[in-house]
């Protein structure tokens, strides 16, 4: 089992920045890929960004150039730095972890069955 605990999120004005953090514990040796997903009201959950244990990253087109995902393998954490936030970035953001790198990078599906509790990001003036 893997436990994921998220922090960060909140309310920010358009153009502002936020940083999300996710800490993993438990059977961390099963984790090859970690990522952030988001779900807005009435929409399906979508991949925002992911990163492998080797540092290879993937971003959804809508956040490229604005968001940066980073990972500290020693601390078992993954962060998402979000800059130039837009109202359409408003959603609940979830951390995900697991072994399935191919699934993430080919379909954008989750890398494993482990999810954080979710953290709300609201971009509004």
């Amino acid at each position: 089992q893997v436990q994921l605990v998220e922090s960060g999120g909140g309310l920010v004005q358009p153009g502002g920045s936020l940083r999300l953090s996710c800490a993993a514990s438990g059977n961390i040796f099963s984790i090859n890929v970690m990522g952030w997903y988001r779900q807005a009201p009435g929409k399906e959950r979508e991949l925002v960004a992911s990163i492998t244990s080797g540092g290879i990253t993937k971003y959804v087109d809508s956040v490229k150039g604005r968001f940066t995902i980073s990972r500290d393998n020693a601390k078992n954490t993954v962060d998402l730095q979000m800059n130039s936030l837009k109202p359409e970035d408003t959603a609940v953001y979830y951390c995900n972890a697991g072994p399935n790198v191919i699934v993430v990078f080919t379909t954008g599906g989750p890398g494993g069955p482990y999810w954080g509790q979710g953290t709300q990001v609201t971009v509004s003036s």
Side-chain angles (χ1 to χ4, degrees), residues 48-98:
V48 177
S50 63
I51 186 168
T52 69
S53 55
I56 300 172
T57 59
K58 176 183 175 68
Y59 296 90
V60 67
D61 287 345
S62 61
V63 308
K64 287 180 180 178
R66 300 189 297 122
F67 291 12
T68 302
I69 191 169
S70 59
R71 181 170 176 173
D72 187 329
N73 290 328
K75 296 181 178 179
N76 302 311
T77 58
V78 61
D79 291 350
L80 185 69
Q81 178 65 43
M82 304 184 294
N83 299 327
S84 301
L85 282 160
K86 303 176 180 180
E88 50 264 42
D89 294 319
T90 296
V92 178
Y93 285 69
Y94 298 90
C95 180
N96 176 264

Side-chain angles (χ1 to χ4, degrees), residues 79-124:
D79 291 350
L80 185 69
Q81 178 65 43
M82 304 184 294
N83 299 327
S84 301
L85 282 160
K86 303 176 180 180
E88 50 264 42
D89 294 319
T90 296
V92 178
Y93 285 69
Y94 298 90
C95 180
N96 176 264
N100 298 321
V101 175
I102 293 177
V103 169
V104 174
F105 280 73
T106 57
T107 71
Y114 307 114
W115 294 92
Q117 76 279 10
T119 185
Q120 177 70 47
V121 171
T122 302
V123 184
S124 175

Side-chain angles (χ1 to χ4, degrees), residues 33-58:
V33 59
M34 298 184 73
W36 287 94
Y37 291 72
R38 66 187 178 187
Q39 187 166 19
K43 295 187 176 181
E44 293 186 354
R45 190 173 298 188
E46 66 169 352
L47 172 67
V48 177
S50 63
I51 186 168
T52 69
S53 55
I56 300 172
T57 59
K58 176 183 175 68

